Amino acid sequence: MTTTGEDHGAAGGGPWWWGRRRSAALDVSLAAVSALECGLEGIPFARDAGIPVAAGVLFGLLVGSVLVVRRHWPIAVVLVVIAVTPAQMGFLMGLVGLYTLAASELPRRIIGSLAGMSLVGTLIVTFVRVQQDMARGELTLGDWFVPFASITTSLGLTAPPVLLGLYVGARRRLMESLRERADSLERELQLLAERAEERAEWARDEERRRIAREMHDVVAHRVSLMVVHAAALQAVARKDPEKAVKNAALVGDMGRQALTELREMLGVLRSGGDGGSGGGRGAGDAVPLVAVGVAAAAAASRAVDEARGAGGEGPRLVEIGELVEQSAAAGVVVDLSVEGEGRPYAGEVESTAYRVVQEALTNVHKHAPGAKTYVRLAHRVAEIAMQVENEPPPEAGASARLPSGGNGLVGMKERVSALGGVFVSGPTDAGGFRVSAVIPAS
C-alpha cells in the first residue's frame, strides 16, 4: 500500500508545526549553530556600532535562533536575513533561509522578490565593504575588483541555495503527485477488481443456469418418453406381446439416445470442450466455467441420433416431425400443422424453436398423458411462431408420475428472450395448457 503526501508527512508525529521529530531536531540543531555563529559575529558588530559586546552577542544569538521557524515562516527568516545583512552576520541563516523559501509552496513571484532583495542587499554591502577596505589600503587590487567581488559574493550567497531549493521543491511536489497518482490508481484497480469479481460471479451463475437448462433439454424429453413407453409396456405385456415387443424396442432406442447425449455432455464437462487433444492442460487443472457452458450448449444443440449423422449441427425445424412421431408412438395424439413456406433460419433460431416444441411435448407427457395435443408452426416474413396446446387429459387425475423440477417453462422463456422473442404460457379455458412463442427470423 502506498501513502499519500499528507499521510506520509504526518507519519512521524512531530511537535508543533513539524511533521516529524527528525525535522524538529534538524531545525533546532541548525538554529543552535546559526545562533552560535551570529553570536560570534556580534562581537565585531558591537565594536563597529559602539555598543557593549554583550549586547552584540545577545543580538546575534536572537537573530540566529530565528532559523528554528524556517519551515513555518520562511518569509520572516529571509526578511531577518536581509535586515541584518549590513551587520555582516547570519551567513548560515541566509543560505538555509533562501533554500527553505525556494523549496516551499509559496508563489514564485514572492520567492523571486525576496531572493532579489537578498541579492541586492548582499551586493550593496559587499561593494561598500570592499571599497572601504581598498580605501584603507588593506586591498591593493585595481578598481575592477570591487564590482567583481561584489557580484561574485552576492551571487555565491544567493543563487546556489535558491536553485537547490527550487529543485528540491519541484522534486518533492513531483513525488507527492506520483504518490497521489499511485493511490488513485490503486483505488481504481481495487474497484476494477471488485467489479471483475462481481462480473465473474454473475457469469458463473449464468453458466450454471445455462448448463442446467441444456442438461434438462437434452435428457428430460428422452427419459419422459421412456417412462411413458415403460408404463405402456407394463400394461400390454400379457395382452398384446407383439405391441409389448415394439414398445420395448422403442424404450431401448430412446434409452440409447439419452445415454449418448448424456455421455457427450459429461465428456464436454470433463474436458472443457478441448476435443481431448490435451493442449498442454493437466488432468487436474480447472476448466473455466464459461468455456464449459459454451461447450455444453454446443453439445446440447448437436444431434446425436443416427438420422442426423455426424454433421455436428443443432436440431432443425424439419425434425419436429420426428418429435410428433415419438409422442404418437407413446400414445399421445398430436396434430401438427405448418403455415407458410418453410425456409432456412439461423442455427440458434431453429434450435430454440425445436427446444420449445420438445419441452412443451415433454410437459404434456408429464402432466397430461393421453391428452390430444395441437402443434402449430407458422413461418412469417420476419418471425417464426409456434404454439403447443393440449386438451385436458382423458381421465381425471391420470398422470405418468414423472418428476418435475419446475424449470422447463423457465428455460423456454430464457431461450426465447435471449433471441429477442416473446414467450407466453398458461392454462386454457377448456382446462388444458398452451405454450406460445414468437422468435425473430434474423
Side-chain angles (χ1 to χ4, degrees):
M1 292 290 290
T2 59
T3 57
T4 62
E6 183 179 356
D7 296 335
H8 182 75
W16 293 343
W17 56 83
W18 288 286
R20 292 175 295 181
R21 292 188 178 87
R22 185 175 62 182
S23 300
L26 175 62
D27 289 354
V28 171
S29 301
L30 288 175
V33 175
S34 176
L36 179 61
E37 176 202 353
C38 292
L40 294 176
E41 292 169 346
I43 298 174
F45 167 72
R47 291 174 182 172
D48 294 340
I51 61 175
V53 175
V57 173
L58 180 60
F59 176 74
L61 293 175
L62 292 177
V63 169
S65 62
V66 174
L67 196 59
V68 76
V69 297
R70 69 183 185 93
R71 296 179 190 266
H72 198 55
W73 293 301
I75 296 178
V77 174
V78 175
L79 289 176
V80 171
V81 170
I82 296 173
V84 299
T85 300
Q88 290 188 317
M89 64 171 57
F91 293 102
L92 176 62
M93 185 172 64
L95 295 175
V96 177
L98 288 174
Y99 163 80
T100 306
L101 177 71
S104 66
E105 301 293 335
L106 292 172
R108 291 295 178 87
R109 63 179 182 274
I110 297 178
I111 297 175
S113 300
L114 293 175
M117 293 171 60
S118 178
L119 175 66
V120 172
T122 306
L123 177 65
I124 295 174
V125 171
T126 305
F127 183 87
V128 172
R129 290 292 184 180
V130 173
Q131 196 172 31
Q132 289 176 354
D133 292 341
M134 292 188 67
R136 287 195 298 264
E138 297 179 4
L139 294 175
T140 59
L141 299 175
D143 294 338
W144 62 268
F145 183 74
V146 176
F148 173 77
S150 303
I151 294 174
T152 304
T153 303
S154 59
L155 288 176
L157 295 177
T158 306
V162 171
L163 294 177
L164 180 61
L166 291 175
Y167 167 75
V168 172
R171 184 175 180 275
R172 182 186 301 134
R173 286 188 290 271
L174 176 61
M175 295 301 295
E176 294 296 331
S177 176
L178 293 177
R179 247 185 233 109
E180 293 177 359
R181 185 177 300 179
D183 286 345
S184 177
L185 289 176
E186 186 175 5
R187 287 191 294 269
E188 291 179 4
L189 289 176
Q190 187 175 2
L191 290 176
L192 289 176
E194 292 175 358
R195 292 177 182 175
E197 186 176 355
E198 292 176 358
R199 288 195 296 267
E201 184 65 26
W202 176 85
R204 285 193 292 267
D205 294 339
E206 186 67 20
E207 289 305 319
R208 290 190 187 99
R209 290 191 293 269
R210 184 176 181 180
I211 292 173
R213 184 171 64 245
E214 298 297 342
M215 292 286 289
H216 179 274
D217 292 341
V218 166
V219 180
H221 181 73
R222 306 286 186 194
V223 176
S224 298
L225 291 178
M226 289 173 58
V227 174
V228 172
H229 282 292
L233 176 62
Q234 184 180 7
V236 302
R238 295 183 179 179
K239 299 180 181 179
D240 192 348
E242 184 177 353
K243 188 175 181 179
V245 172
K246 183 178 179 181
N247 287 341
L250 289 174
V251 171
D253 292 340
M254 293 179 184
R256 282 187 291 272
Q257 292 174 357
L259 287 175
T260 301
E261 294 179 355
L262 183 59
R263 187 182 302 113
E264 186 174 352
M265 177 69 70
L266 294 177
V268 170
L269 293 176
R270 290 193 185 98
S271 64
D274 58 359
S277 61
R281 178 181 297 166
D285 293 346
V287 180
L289 191 57
V290 174
V292 174
V294 173
S301 301
R302 286 201 297 266
V304 293
D305 53 342
E306 295 179 356
R308 297 173 200 166
E313 298 180 352
R316 318 296 292 182
L317 287 175
V318 295
E319 301 171 13
I320 290 182
E322 298 180 9
L323 289 178
V324 173
E325 293 176 1
Q326 293 174 358
S327 297
V332 177
V333 179
V334 182
D335 180 17
L336 173 65
S337 64
V338 181
E339 300 177 4
E341 184 177 355
R343 62 185 186 276
Y345 299 94
E348 56 184 3
V349 173
E350 295 206 16
S351 175
T352 299
Y354 178 90
R355 294 300 186 191
V356 169
V357 176
Q358 181 187 53
E359 180 60 27
L361 291 176
T362 301
N363 288 340
V364 172
H365 291 295
K366 288 182 178 180
H367 308 292
K372 186 173 182 180
T373 305
Y374 302 91
V375 178
R376 302 288 182 264
L377 188 64
H379 299 275
R380 299 171 183 169
V381 177
E383 61 189 16
I384 178 174
M386 65 224 65
Q387 178 178 289
V388 179
E389 180 179 350
N390 63 274
E391 298 178 352
E395 298 180 6
S399 174
R401 294 179 297 186
L402 291 171
S404 176
N407 296 318
L409 295 177
V410 175
M412 285 190 282
K413 185 175 182 179
E414 290 177 350
R415 283 180 176 276
V416 174
S417 299
L419 298 179
V422 179
F423 177 84
V424 179
S425 63
T428 62
D429 296 337
F433 199 84
R434 181 188 299 118
V435 173
S436 302
V438 179
I439 305 175
S442 58

